[in-house]
Amino acid sequence: AAISACEKSGKWEKALQLWNIMTRGHAELNAIAFSAVITACDKAGKWKEALQLFALMAQSDVERDLITLNTVTSACVKGGKWEKALQIFRAMTQSKVDLDMITLSAAISACEEGGKREEILQLCSSVVHRFSALHPVPARRKKK
């Protein structure tokens, strides 16, 4: 809760300090705490820190949810690290995480930043294909 309060008030450095205290004190590292501190880093333009925390999340066996994935992708795009943002997006498309419009928007922004306009259509196509595989449309009944 304290890290979330720091994140919401724009005090990313304080959020990281609290995070460090938590980790040194062997507090339980959960998705909510990770997400709050990653969001604080994103809002402050601290993409390196966001990526480090994202990697630590995997090392700590904490499930990375859609919100955290979107946040770290956004941090990379804002930090000019579009290649890393696309790498994360591609990993997301291979995972079990359901993607949303925020995810696709961040991936498109990464492509634009990197001058990869041709990849935008490929990304959209892969998302449509994945969505249709996960959410098939039932066949229409013929009218009599």
Side-chain angles (χ1 to χ4, degrees):
I3 292 174
S4 291
C6 292
E7 173 259 311
K8 286 177 178 44
S9 63
K11 298 182 179 186
W12 70 272
E13 290 171 318
K14 192 67 163 171
L16 280 178
Q17 286 175 350
L18 289 171
W19 175 260
N20 288 330
I21 291 168
M22 282 178 59
T23 56
R24 281 193 304 255
H26 305 289
E28 180 184 346
L29 302 177
N30 61 37
I32 295 168
F34 270 106
S35 185
V37 75
I38 289 171
T39 300
C41 292
D42 173 41
K43 287 181 178 180
K46 302 296 179 184
W47 63 269
K48 285 182 187 178
E49 289 83 352
L51 275 175
Q52 290 170 347
L53 289 161
F54 185 68
L56 179 61
M57 202 172 180
Q59 293 168 7
S60 302
D61 290 326
V62 176
E63 187 174 345
R64 300 187 284 189
D65 63 6
L66 181 62
I67 294 168
T68 306
L69 290 163
N70 284 344
T71 303
V72 78
T73 302
S74 169
C76 290
V77 171
K78 289 176 188 173
K81 300 299 175 191
W82 59 269
E83 301 100 333
K84 191 66 178 170
L86 285 176
Q87 180 183 5
I88 293 166
F89 176 79
R90 288 187 185 108
M92 289 169 66
T93 61
Q94 302 300 316
S95 73
K96 295 178 184 175
V97 175
D98 280 337
L99 307 178
D100 63 7
M101 291 307 295
I102 295 170
T103 311
L104 184 57
S105 177
I108 289 170
S109 294
C111 288
E112 288 176 340
E113 288 291 321
K116 301 283 184 185
R117 290 189 169 85
E118 66 281 355
E119 282 194 42
I120 293 173
L121 289 176
Q122 293 172 349
L123 290 173
C124 291
S125 176
S126 70
V127 169
V128 168
H129 177 70
R130 179 186 164 128
F131 183 82
S132 63
L134 293 173
H135 308 282
V137 177
R140 291 185 178 182
R141 294 183 195 169
K142 291 185 180 182
K143 292 183 180 179
K144 294 183 182 184

